[in-house]
Structures are given as structure tokens and as C-alpha cells.
Amino acid sequence: MNYSIIADAYEKIESTSKRLQMIDLLVDLLKITPKKIIDKVIYLTQGKICPDFIGLEVGIAEKLAIKALSRASGRNQSQIESHLQKSGDIGETTFKFISEKVQSTFFRRTLSVEQVHETFTKMAKTTGSGTIGLKISLLAGLLSDASPKEGKFLIRTVTRNLRLGIADMTVLDALAISYGGGKINRSLIERAYNISSDLGEVATIVAEKGLEGIKEIQVKIFEPIRPMLAERLSSPEEILDKLDGCCAAEYKYDGERVQAHKKGDQIALFSRRLENISSQYPDVIDIIKTRINAQDAIVEGEIVAIDNQTGELLPFQELMHRRRKYSVKSFMDQYPISLFLFEALFVNGKDLTVENYNIRRETLENIIVNNNRVKLAKNLKTKNAQELEAFFEEAIANGCEGIICKSIGKESIYKAGARGWLWIKYKRDYKSEMTDTIDLVIIGAFYGRGKRTGTYGTLLLATYNKDIDTFETVTKCGTGFTDEDLIKIPKILKNHLIQNKHSRVSSTINADVWFEPKIVLEIMGAEITLSPIHTCAINSIRKERGLAIRFPRFTGKYRSDKNAEDATTSKEIIKMYQRQFKQISNLMPN
Ligand code: ATP
């Protein structure tokens, strides 16, 4: 398949801001894609070469890309750099320099998707001395054969600037329409994705074998399962009510979620975002190797930083010291951890995601060999609201965030990739209704004045509306940032700067600058109100009104463990608003 076909499709996708149109364009592209390379087309369209958990990334620094372009176009680097400064878009700059190339198109070889994918993979895999030179030559080779349009998208991909806005959910919709018999069957395809986390694999199977093939997709060791997530409520009574009168409550440890895969002595660890984090936690690898008594297993738990002297649990932020590639060993001693396991998803060939809570927990108990570094998450089965409240207080006193109350009914399966009512979290913040922390996505910013001249004054933040795969503005936040944050945030955001509002963002407010929705911050709100300007949950409570967070403050916690799609949803804000309303009306005289 010629790469030009993809480049043409990207051009069309880029020019639309309507999600439905984007799906149609993707459907058109998938239909003309030969089935055996549909996985490659899906990866490339998301700016990748393989699923995230493999950990192979295309990506080179802009400087190196410029060198490659210089070689391919015969123009010197300073000419390219000065044009880039004006255009601000390496794609456009590449388009111009390839267009002006003197060499006749007669000598150009046609670029195929397979060749592009193979070259990107080679680039990602090169290591050791000479890596940089080899990467530049490989990219220059592609650019020499590229048309201006192809060059534009190739270079955007390798510099991580291909921002077509095609989210996983958009791909799933497009697959359901093109090969799955229509959107009505999306949930089946989504389930396959939730247990394999590999959109390319799911695409190949649905394209080649249809829905029957999809039904056969199984849980596999070393393919992470997308995590099950919890809803939230603010009182033990409500929780018990929702869970048919009884539940298994577990401590909600405040650390980093990990999904550990074990096959004999081979171990891999995946984060909440399903990145491979094995290299950060050699101690956890060791725990899984020696303390899980099963040949094959997939278990889930929370890695928590502990105080070296007292053994007490420390807050999540302490774990950030372990987010590093080098000198992990020395940081391991300085910042020791404990592992609290709470789920068994697969053990010795048996898929436990379809089993109920009791069976999963019992299996977990049977395979874990406790010591002071690995334990089962503490739990309590109860029907009694007071007992639940006491357990919650105990969890807080022991350094946890609160509790997670899990359904123990017949239907209490592990719902991969879904936030649902089988798990309900009860955190300390929810006790006083408007000190909830929520996780919001940065989608725009306004320039600062006075002390903040030259940096951003306020950030435009959004919730995620899962139903329509859109980010909806909910507040402007300029409080809670330290001087360090004010330097750090623009640096992080620079990589996500875009010219116009992102196609998946809904905003009536005009920000000074726009970002692709990527970065998630934890925010503490004071009150939720109806809003004529914010688009969060618009029309849900009242016509032409959205919801807004008043007096937002950054808590200092960068939720780098969350994707934008994992941010607080608009639906959650509606629920919080209604709860707050209920509480206020309880205080009013009848
Ligand atoms: P939060 O920001 O509240 O951690 P989240 O969106 O990351 O929320 P939720 O599903 O809402 O995830 O809350 C569950 C999270 O709590 C899990 O992702 C996990 O990291 C953590 N956790 C700690 N202890 C447990 C436990 N015993 N069972 C399940 N999850 C637990």
C-alpha cells in the first residue's frame, strides 16, 4: 500500500474538527487498507509503531530531524531552522523544502506503508554507538523518496507531532463500522481491546475473521489488561445501598498501580497507563518472582513508598523519585517500597477476569507468600455502615487515601477498561463535599501578567465526556502553582502546543494558546456551579448551561500516571453537583 494513500487520508482528517466525520474518513481508509497491514496503518495513524506496552517509540529530536531534512533536500540546516522558526511547524517546513528540491521526481521510489513502518521500527530499535547517525540516515532515506505531503507527515510522526486527534475510541468505532457489522457491535470489539490493549491486533482479527474471531481473543501473559476503575460515593450507607447491602472493602493505598505478569522466571510490570515500568522497580520484579507461587500469573496491586526507619506508608509523591531510567539501584535503597496486591486476573492458564470477586481473592490468597514487602490488600467484608466507616477511619489512620468497596455479588467480574459501580471508592476528601480533588486536563492557557509575564497566568482545564469522546471546559485555574511549577508547566506543555483548538475539545472560551489534551493535573475545587460559559455537561442539568468548578487550586500533584481519557468525567461532575445540591437542600427548612 502506498504511503501516499495514508498521507492523503491524514490531510483530510486533519482538516475536520467533527468527530463523526473523522470516523467516516478513518472507515474509508481502513476499507482500502489490505487486511494484512491494517495493524500497521492503525499504529501509524496514532503516531506509533506498536502498542504502548511494547515500549518501542518512534521519536527523534527536532534537531536531528532537521539534519535528515537538510540531507534529503540539499538545503543547509540554518535555512531550515530559520524557516521553522517562522512556521512553527516542522511538517510545513518539510513540505516547503521537499517541494523546492531540484532533483526530479523521476528518481523517486514510491514509498510504501510497509517500508515506512519497517524503517521507523529500525530507528526505534537502534541502540549503542552510532545510533544518532544511523537514525538520521534512515530518516533522510525516507525523506528523499517522499513527496512534499508524505514528507510532512513522516517528519511529524518521528518528531511526535502527528496530532490527528484519533483516540482509541475513534478507532474502535471505525473498526466496528468497517468490519464489525456496525456500531452496534462496538462493545464486543471494545472488550477484545480491553483484555489485549493492542488496537492493531484487534483490527487485524476483526478484519480477517470478523466478530467470531474477536470473540476468541483471550487474556495473554505480557499483554496488559486495561484496568478496572471505580466510581465514587460519599457515605457508607449510599455505598452499601448500591452494592446490594454488602461488600468487601479494601484499603485504598496511595501509590502507583501495577499490573505484574509472570511466566516462569520472566516478569513484566505495567503501569496504570500500561507502559512497561519493569526497569523502575527491580525490587517488585524480585517480589513477583519469589513470592508468587504460580507458574503463570497476572496480578494487580499498588506499589507504595515506605519510610525506611518506621515502615510507615508514605504518600504517592515519594514514588516519583523512582521514575527514572538510570541509577535505579541506589534509589531503590533510598526509597524502598511495599507491594499490596488486590487482584488476580489470570493464574496458571485460567482467565479470572470472568470470575467473581470471592474466587479472584481466594486465588490471590493461595498464590501469595506474604512477607513484610508483599501483602494482600487489607480487606473487610461487611453489611454494616458503621463497621465500614470505622474501617475507613482505620485506613486513613494507616496512611491510605480511603477505601475501595468492591461488589461480592455473582456478577462481580473484573470489568477491564471500565469505570463502573462494581467498585466504589470512598476517599477522605469526599467527606466535606466541596474539597473533592478531581483530575482535569489542560487544553488551553492564557498569558500571565505582572509577576507571571512571560509564562502562563491561568490554565483552561477540562473534564472528559466519554460518551462523545470530547474534552469539555470546566474551569480556569491560576492558583496553587509554585515558582517551580510556573517554570515546569510551560516546558511540559511546549510539546503539546497546537495552532487551533483541538478537534476533541469543546470550548466557548477563546484561549490565548491551545494544547492537545494530554497533561492531567489534580485540582481541588470549592464548589460546583451552573455556568453559561463552560461546556462541561452542557444541557444536562439546565438548557444551555454547563457546570463549572469555582475556586480551583492545583494540589501540586501532576497525574502523569493518567492519560487524558482517564481524567474526571463530565458525568462524575454531574453526580458531584447533584450530591452537593442534595446536601444543601437537606439543610434548608421544609
Ligand atoms: P484515584 O485518582 O482516586 O486513584 P483513579 O482514576 O486512578 O483514581 P480509580 O479506579 O478511580 O482510579 O480508583 C482506584 C485506584 O486506587 C486504582 O487505580 C489503584 O491505583 C488504587 N488502589 C489502591 N488500593 C486499591 C485496592 N485495594 N483496589 C483497587 N484499587 C486500589
Side-chain angles (χ1 to χ4, degrees), residues 228-230 250-253 257 272 302 342 377 401 404 406 419 423 425 427 439 559 562 566:
M228 174 165 178
L229 300 168
E250 294 180 0
Y251 275 14
K252 185 180 190 304
Y253 297 94
R257 184 174 189 156
R272 185 187 184 290
E302 194 85 354
F342 52 75
E401 274 189 304
I404 303 230
K406 300 184 175 178
R419 192 179 288 285
W423 285 10
K425 57 184 171 184
K427 295 210 288 189
D439 299 317
R559 291 304 306 253
K562 283 197 169 184
D566 301 323

Side-chain angles (χ1 to χ4, degrees), residues 50-278:
C50 55
D52 290 340
F53 63 83
I54 304 280
L56 259 191
E57 281 182 37
V58 268
I60 62 173
E62 202 169 75
K63 271 216 154 64
L64 302 186
I66 291 172
K67 278 197 176 145
L69 177 58
S70 158
R71 208 180 285 176
S73 65
R75 302 286 283 272
N76 64 42
Q77 284 178 47
S78 56
Q79 277 176 312
I80 298 176
E81 272 160 11
S82 79
H83 184 271
L84 177 57
Q85 263 197 342
K86 274 180 257 144
S87 78
D89 172 4
I90 191 148
E92 287 308 328
T93 297
T94 304
F95 188 95
K96 173 187 153 65
F97 285 96
I98 295 186
S99 308
E100 291 172 359
K101 207 162 75 167
V102 249
Q103 183 200 345
S104 135
T105 48
F106 185 70
F107 295 107
R108 260 191 16 222
R109 286 175 308 164
T110 311
L111 275 183
S112 70
V113 173
E114 292 89 331
Q115 188 189 348
V116 168
H117 186 269
E118 195 186 312
T119 311
F120 282 173
T121 308
K122 257 190 216 154
M123 287 171 68
K125 282 187 174 164
T126 54
T127 48
S129 67
T131 304
I132 292 180
L134 187 59
K135 283 188 178 178
I136 296 175
S137 316
L138 287 167
L139 179 58
L142 285 181
L143 292 175
S144 305
D145 287 331
S147 69
K149 199 195 288 179
E150 289 170 336
K152 171 165 106 177
F153 291 112
L154 286 172
I155 210 146
R156 279 193 189 159
T157 308
V158 290
T159 55
R160 298 196 192 90
N161 283 304
L162 183 76
R163 293 173 188 153
L164 299 174
I166 297 190
D168 295 351
M169 294 304 142
T170 313
V171 176
L172 289 173
D173 277 337
L175 283 174
I177 296 168
S178 17
Y179 291 108
K183 255 189 177 176
I184 189 164
N185 293 323
R186 201 191 95 158
S187 59
L188 265 178
I189 302 176
E190 192 173 339
R191 157 83 188 157
Y193 173 51
N194 284 336
I195 58 171
S196 69
S197 306
D198 184 346
L199 272 181
E201 183 191 359
V202 171
T204 307
I205 292 177
V206 72
E208 285 181 348
K209 300 187 184 156
L211 284 182
E212 284 314 305
I214 281 294
K215 286 182 199 156
E216 282 164 21
I217 291 190
Q218 306 267 335
V219 170
K220 280 196 220 107
I221 309 258
F222 302 132
E223 278 191 12
I225 298 168
R226 300 185 69 233
M228 174 165 178
L229 300 168
E231 284 286 350
R232 51 173 106 193
L233 281 176
S234 48
S235 80
E237 290 79 9
E238 279 177 297
I239 293 174
L240 283 173
D241 209 34
K242 196 85 191 172
L243 295 174
D244 293 334
C246 79
C247 72
E250 294 180 0
Y251 275 14
K252 185 180 190 304
Y253 297 94
D254 186 15
E256 174 160 20
R257 184 174 189 156
V258 66
Q259 193 179 103
H261 289 231
K262 173 178 193 291
K263 195 178 196 63
D265 272 351
Q266 264 175 294
I267 315 287
L269 307 178
F270 299 100
S271 69
R272 185 187 184 290
R273 296 168 62 169
L274 309 183
E275 295 148 333
N276 191 318
I277 49 168
S278 307

Side-chain angles (χ1 to χ4, degrees), residues 188-455:
L188 265 178
I189 302 176
E190 192 173 339
R191 157 83 188 157
Y193 173 51
N194 284 336
I195 58 171
S196 69
S197 306
D198 184 346
L199 272 181
E201 183 191 359
V202 171
T204 307
I205 292 177
V206 72
E208 285 181 348
K209 300 187 184 156
L211 284 182
E212 284 314 305
I214 281 294
K215 286 182 199 156
E216 282 164 21
I217 291 190
Q218 306 267 335
V219 170
K220 280 196 220 107
I221 309 258
F222 302 132
E223 278 191 12
I225 298 168
R226 300 185 69 233
M228 174 165 178
L229 300 168
E231 284 286 350
R232 51 173 106 193
L233 281 176
S234 48
S235 80
E237 290 79 9
E238 279 177 297
I239 293 174
L240 283 173
D241 209 34
K242 196 85 191 172
L243 295 174
D244 293 334
C246 79
C247 72
E250 294 180 0
Y251 275 14
K252 185 180 190 304
Y253 297 94
D254 186 15
E256 174 160 20
R257 184 174 189 156
V258 66
Q259 193 179 103
H261 289 231
K262 173 178 193 291
K263 195 178 196 63
D265 272 351
Q266 264 175 294
I267 315 287
L269 307 178
F270 299 100
S271 69
R272 185 187 184 290
R273 296 168 62 169
L274 309 183
E275 295 148 333
N276 191 318
I277 49 168
S278 307
S279 63
Q280 283 170 39
Y281 296 108
D283 34 8
V284 176
I285 300 254
D286 194 52
I287 290 173
I288 299 293
K289 208 183 273 179
T290 55
R291 301 263 147 198
I292 295 293
N293 194 5
Q295 175 67 17
D296 300 339
I298 302 177
V299 291
E300 248 188 342
E302 194 85 354
I303 302 173
V304 188
I306 52 168
D307 186 308
N308 230 344
Q309 258 89 52
T310 63
E312 278 174 3
L313 305 184
L314 297 173
F316 166 82
Q317 282 87 331
E318 292 298 315
L319 271 184
M320 291 298 118
H321 300 289
R322 297 288 288 270
R323 288 196 170 247
R324 56 183 57 248
K325 284 203 172 120
Y326 307 105
S327 329
V328 175
K329 282 257 173 331
S330 66
F331 279 83
M332 217 162 80
D333 298 334
Q334 224 175 320
Y335 300 98
I337 53 91
S338 272
L339 177 65
F340 294 92
L341 292 173
F342 52 75
E343 278 292 342
L345 306 180
F346 186 88
V347 172
N348 292 337
K350 191 166 167 31
D351 177 1
L352 296 169
T353 62
V354 289
E355 303 292 344
N356 66 41
Y357 174 87
N358 291 324
I359 294 180
R360 295 199 307 276
R361 177 85 186 187
E362 214 173 280
T363 314
L364 185 60
E365 272 172 28
N366 286 338
I367 59 169
I368 170 176
V369 187
N370 282 335
N371 70 358
N372 62 349
R373 281 297 149 89
V374 56
K375 294 191 179 77
L376 278 169
K378 187 156 182 200
N379 81 344
L380 169 81
K381 279 192 190 162
T382 182
K383 295 179 174 168
N384 182 310
Q386 272 135 18
E387 239 176 56
L388 203 53
E389 182 69 23
F391 187 64
F392 167 76
E393 300 294 352
E394 178 196 303
I396 299 282
N398 286 330
C400 292
E401 274 189 304
I403 52 178
I404 303 230
C405 303
K406 300 184 175 178
S407 162
I408 49 175
K410 275 210 296 288
E411 311 291 312
S412 58
I413 56 161
Y414 184 92
K415 266 204 163 161
R419 192 179 288 285
W421 291 104
L422 292 174
W423 285 10
I424 303 174
K425 57 184 171 184
Y426 177 34
K427 295 210 288 189
R428 181 168 42 185
D429 334 321
Y430 308 148
K431 294 219 70 183
S432 55
E433 84 275 20
M434 277 324 312
T435 51
D436 284 11
T437 64
I438 45 180
D439 299 317
L440 300 178
V441 187
I442 308 177
I443 50 111
F446 301 87
Y447 294 121
R449 296 197 208 122
K451 235 183 99 188
R452 294 207 186 157
T453 307
T455 176

